Amino acid sequence: MAGCQLTIAAAIRHYVPGAVMDRSWHINPRNTVIKHDRSVPVAQGSIAQGEGSLWASLRPSEQHDQRKLFYHIYLKMTDIAGNRRKQWQQIFQVFCLFFFFITDAYGQLQYSVLEEMKKGSVIGNVAKDLGLNMEEFAIRKCKLISKAKIKYCNINLENGDLFVSDRIDRESLCEIQTNCFINLEAVIEKPLNFYTITIQIQDVNDNSPIFSKNHFDVEISEVTSPGARFALGNAQDPDLGSNSIQSYTLSGNENFGLGEKITTDGIKYPEIILEKSLDREKQRYYELILTALDGGNPQKSSTATVRIIVQDFNDNLPMFNQDTYRVRLHEDAAIGSLVIHLNATDEDEGSNAEINYSFSHISEKAQHLFTLDSLNGDIKVIGNLDHETSNSYEMTVEAKDGGGHVTHCKVSVQVIDVNDNAPEITITSLSASIPEDSPPGTVVSLLNVQDLDSGMNSEVVCHISDTLAFQLIPSSSTYYKLVTAASMDRERNPSYNVTIQCMDGGSPPLSTNKTIQLNISDVNDNAPVFEKMKYILYIGENNQPGTSIHNVRASDPDGDENGKISYSILNSNRSFDYEQLREFQFQVMAKDSGSPPLSSNVTVRICIIDKNDNAPKILYPSPDTEGSALFEFIPHSAEKGYLVTKVIAVDADSGHNAWLSYHLLQVPDPSFFTIGKYTGEIKIGRDIQDVATVRQKIVVLVKDNGIPSLSCTVSIQLVVAENFQQVVPEIKKQPNISNTSSNATFYLVVSIALISIVFIATVLITVVLKCRKSSTPTRYGPYSRNVYPQFTLGCPSEISDTSLPFPILI
């Protein structure tokens, strides 16, 4: 602008809360370059004048170092144009926002926004100010946390803009406070970072001045001297600075003028100044218009009617002993409690000294909390105070005497906090489940703990119930991280209920509990385990293919697919033939379905139990020579007990099935020969002098002890002679039919049948009794016979593989 000179009036730095005057700024009035003491240009702009306004346009200098600072720069413009040399000055405010890409040490971002901005208006770009690109900003899931019940701002995760999401009214938020801020906390994950966002709410002229009354009645005695001042009720404007009330005007009247009374708090009260003496007989009353004007642009105003009633003499005003009364009141004050007793004095007498008290100005909130006795001046509590809602109230009390004179005082009530709010626990981030192989220190949840009280009442200490498995770590003044303190094991504890208790420092202290349920997800960390370390099975030989012999079971404590087990046999291709293989072993593998799968092996030892499937085989005399000339010679001198021959037989089976017994199945004379039942030795039973036949044939039966019993026979030719030449004639006779006794044969067959029946019955009874005593199918108790002693059946490797002779009973 031609003829204008710019100088720096002041520079207020807003990098941290609380402005600091910075006197090291300079401006070049020629090119409008703003510099710091370091002589490096910071910003350059231009000045222009609009309709009733003056504005500046600044931009960051490219030479300025990369820092992020917020300055309010106040410029002073002096008009030096024209020959009149009349100088005028106007101080205006330029708000400079230098956004660069360095994060302050305290994780703090500060923005400024005008109140009553439209929803969706952009305040700033958080992603850009934090030095994050849009892709990274979206992935890290930025969240805004506000202590206020209304969410005034929000973040667009797509572009990082911080925008207005609800109506912002500075007067509703901060009431009479000069500085108004919205404090937010930004939480950014992966990694976890915290930032404090402070948004300063700038006032706009959105409120008109308001008088406490639409009509003011002022009674002035007709004897009042000119120059007397009469206080009127002031107007209130919740806006700040130049937007608040700046002046009052009064409609023209030659008898009255307008003055102002400024209290120690800087509050202006309009006063009517009597310019000329009044004459009640000429005019009894006057009506004037009082106008309150603020300094906003456009300017707003409000009016009230002042009715002046001319009265007789009343020359003393009510007087309070101080302009402002300050009261400290606990927020738990009971309804009906006395706040303060106001006493205004008036030196007049009679009705002129009767004082009536009333609120000339009180906020809407305070009207529901306090009441004023109009006669005695007592202010009492009629509502519930809450320090967290509002910590101070201001009200103006008017004292009016009977003559119409009024005076005012201000009552400031400071609400003292008591511990009436328990801590609030908010879960801002929670993992519903974690794998059981999570290392110690894994973050489970992020907690925000707040206490609406102040001072010691708001200091909170938190503990958890399970200190062995979890740990609560404070990450900032109001945030805690719940992390694992030890390794997890789903098979031991599939889930946890962690109770978090937060207690404040009030007296008595208040606490809040919060329970977090955490599930432990399964990983495949357990191999299948068999019920036994080794299996020994006893299996009868000659089983049919597909016969089930035993169930091998393994267990896996893992869940779902990790616990599903499949079985397979390793290295087994055997035949169940006792005579070929009496025992063998193989491995069974149990494998789960996890990824990667885990497995374990167990050894199964199979012991083949012999069955009586082989008949005895006679080795001597050989059955192959039965039809040939095979004879056993008996000398004539042989006596009773003479050993004629011995039958030798074997059985491929084992155990009881291989125990053999020998019997004479066919003999001409049963008393002539005897055979050892267990040895097979054939001996002479009596002397042979009376034997009529030189040549005799006997049939020997060899049978085993199996069930059913198997047997074989062999024929033996016996010749009584000293040498072979003596029996040659007898041999050549070859009788066709042996002279046997049919009765003896019949008795022998009956005897064998009876013995077999008794033996089978005894075995069955023994088996039944043993089955009742034992329930394990793979273990065998003693195998008893009525003839033989008991023995315990072991694995075939422990039993001899030859035919066992029966024990000889003594």
Side-chain angles (χ1 to χ4, degrees), residues 242-304:
S242 62
N243 295 327
S244 64
I245 296 175
Q246 299 297 316
S247 61
Y248 294 89
T249 61
L250 188 66
S251 61
N253 187 282
E254 61 180 3
N255 295 321
F256 303 96
L258 182 64
E260 291 180 350
K261 177 184 178 182
I262 302 177
T263 65
T264 56
D265 293 331
I267 301 176
K268 296 179 180 180
Y269 287 91
E271 293 181 335
I272 290 181
I273 302 175
L274 184 61
E275 300 287 351
K276 294 181 179 182
S277 299
L278 301 178
D279 187 354
R280 182 176 177 274
E281 285 69 23
K282 292 181 179 180
Q283 187 173 350
R284 294 186 177 182
Y285 64 90
Y286 301 86
E287 279 193 1
L288 307 175
I289 302 300
L290 179 64
T291 303
L293 301 172
D294 63 18
N297 186 9
Q299 191 176 54
K300 294 186 177 183
S301 63
S302 178
T303 60

Side-chain angles (χ1 to χ4, degrees), residues 121 123-124 126 142-144 151-157 160-166 184 199:
S121 299
I123 302 173
V126 176
C142 180
K143 298 179 182 178
L144 281 185
K151 194 171 185 180
Y152 296 100
C153 303
N154 208 340
I155 289 182
N156 189 332
L157 296 180
D161 286 339
L162 178 66
F163 62 93
V164 177
S165 60
D166 204 343
L184 304 175
I199 302 175

Side-chain angles (χ1 to χ4, degrees), residues 141-143 145 185-189 192-194 446 479:
K141 298 180 180 179
C142 180
K143 298 179 182 178
I145 300 174
E185 291 178 338
V187 180
I188 300 180
E189 302 178 356
L192 192 64
N193 290 319
F194 306 90
L446 179 64
Y479 282 90

Side-chain angles (χ1 to χ4, degrees), residues 455 547 611:
T547 302
K611 289 187 178 181

Side-chain angles (χ1 to χ4, degrees), residues 101-324:
F101 306 107
I102 179 171
T103 304
D104 58 280
Y106 299 98
Q108 181 178 10
L109 299 177
Q110 185 167 347
Y111 300 93
S112 178
V113 65
L114 297 175
E115 64 171 329
E116 303 294 344
M117 290 188 69
K118 294 181 179 180
K119 294 182 180 179
S121 299
V122 177
I123 302 173
N125 191 286
V126 176
K128 181 179 179 181
D129 296 340
L130 295 179
L132 302 176
N133 56 49
M134 292 301 103
E135 181 179 359
E136 182 182 3
F137 186 79
I139 293 175
R140 295 184 65 180
K141 298 180 180 179
C142 180
K143 298 179 182 178
L144 281 185
I145 300 174
S146 174
K147 297 180 181 180
K149 296 181 180 179
I150 301 176
K151 194 171 185 180
Y152 296 100
C153 303
N154 208 340
I155 289 182
N156 189 332
L157 296 180
E158 296 180 359
N159 55 24
D161 286 339
L162 178 66
F163 62 93
V164 177
S165 60
D166 204 343
R167 176 176 177 264
I168 300 177
D169 186 4
R170 192 201 63 81
E171 289 72 29
S172 298
L173 285 174
C174 305
E175 296 184 350
I176 62 174
Q177 297 181 17
T178 304
N179 296 320
C180 185
F181 298 92
I182 294 178
N183 294 313
L184 304 175
E185 291 178 338
V187 180
I188 300 180
E189 302 178 356
K190 301 177 183 178
L192 192 64
N193 290 319
F194 306 90
Y195 299 92
T196 299
I197 299 178
T198 302
I199 302 175
Q200 183 177 14
I201 309 303
Q202 300 291 338
D203 183 50
V204 297
N205 192 27
D206 58 339
N207 293 280
S208 299
I210 300 175
F211 285 97
S212 59
K213 299 177 182 180
N214 293 328
H215 302 278
F216 292 94
D217 293 333
V218 179
E219 298 177 355
I220 302 177
S221 175
E222 61 180 347
V223 297
T224 303
S225 301
R229 307 172 73 94
F230 301 89
L232 299 175
N234 68 318
Q236 295 287 330
D237 191 338
D239 294 326
L240 297 177
S242 62
N243 295 327
S244 64
I245 296 175
Q246 299 297 316
S247 61
Y248 294 89
T249 61
L250 188 66
S251 61
N253 187 282
E254 61 180 3
N255 295 321
F256 303 96
L258 182 64
E260 291 180 350
K261 177 184 178 182
I262 302 177
T263 65
T264 56
D265 293 331
I267 301 176
K268 296 179 180 180
Y269 287 91
E271 293 181 335
I272 290 181
I273 302 175
L274 184 61
E275 300 287 351
K276 294 181 179 182
S277 299
L278 301 178
D279 187 354
R280 182 176 177 274
E281 285 69 23
K282 292 181 179 180
Q283 187 173 350
R284 294 186 177 182
Y285 64 90
Y286 301 86
E287 279 193 1
L288 307 175
I289 302 300
L290 179 64
T291 303
L293 301 172
D294 63 18
N297 186 9
Q299 191 176 54
K300 294 186 177 183
S301 63
S302 178
T303 60
T305 301
V306 179
R307 182 182 175 127
I308 299 177
I309 302 172
V310 180
Q311 290 185 342
D312 287 335
F313 182 73
N314 181 24
D315 58 348
N316 290 293
L317 299 177
M319 296 294 294
F320 289 102
N321 55 7
Q322 59 189 65
D323 291 336
T324 302

Side-chain angles (χ1 to χ4, degrees), residues 612-626:
N612 193 27
D613 57 347
N614 293 281
K617 183 178 180 181
I618 298 176
L619 302 179
Y620 181 85
S622 175
D624 299 334
T625 60
E626 186 175 353

